[in-house]
Amino acid sequence: MTQIMTRVASGKSVRVTLPLCRSGLGLGTSVMTTDGALPVEYLTPGDRIITFDAGAQTLESLNVLTLPMDDLVRLRPSVLDEDGFGRNVVMSARQKLLVRDWRAPMLFGKRAALVEACRLADGDYITRMNGNVPMRVFQLHFKGSQHVIQLDQGLMVTSARTSKKASSSKA
């Protein structure tokens, strides 16, 4: 299955056809950069993003997808901060999170696990959203590989997979 989307690369907008990939971060999600925390919608190609696995990496491109609310989850601030400060984080239900707290050994039998957000939904602190209104999510792409991105709240998520076919197709 494919989907047409706008891909921002090298300051130009082009239309490309990519395999349907439903990961992504919602509006207002703060991503750690070398300039500090920035909302995902303010990132541009060339920004240096802090990654868990490879330090600061240059953002190659940013895809914007529109997903139905049924494909999104909301993380409450108390999941990320024991005092409950901060704001809700919205992301694709298919977005992979790096789980390194008590949940990893209890749920997955490992010290750390990469898990889709929907698998952690408990109905209280991590909830699936519902409704008919579509929402935009942002996918971060790095040249040649996928990375684990650090969000402002200490949460770690994976970037989108980089496809050679997607990088070279232009319409």
Side-chain angles (χ1 to χ4, degrees), residues 43-134:
L43 296 175
T44 58
D47 284 344
R48 302 276 292 160
I49 308 298
I50 305 299
T51 68
F52 177 71
D53 57 320
Q57 294 293 308
T58 302
L59 182 64
E60 182 181 34
S61 63
L62 196 64
N63 288 346
V64 180
L65 299 175
T66 302
L67 297 179
M69 286 182 73
D70 291 344
D71 289 348
L72 301 171
V73 295
R74 178 187 307 119
L75 285 78
R76 305 255 183 237
S78 55
V79 172
L80 309 172
D81 180 346
E82 61 187 40
D83 296 324
F85 295 121
R87 54 180 288 158
N88 288 338
V89 174
V90 174
M91 64 181 59
S92 165
R94 302 278 307 276
Q95 177 65 55
K96 288 192 176 182
L97 301 140
L98 178 61
V99 179
R100 298 183 302 161
D101 61 2
W102 63 268
R103 291 174 187 91
M106 293 297 291
L107 298 173
F108 309 107
K110 301 176 184 176
R111 289 181 20 182
L114 275 174
V115 183
E116 287 185 354
C118 62
R119 291 188 58 201
L120 297 172
D122 61 6
D124 289 321
Y125 300 103
I126 302 174
T127 58
R128 293 213 56 150
M129 297 178 70
N130 55 34
N132 296 326
V133 180

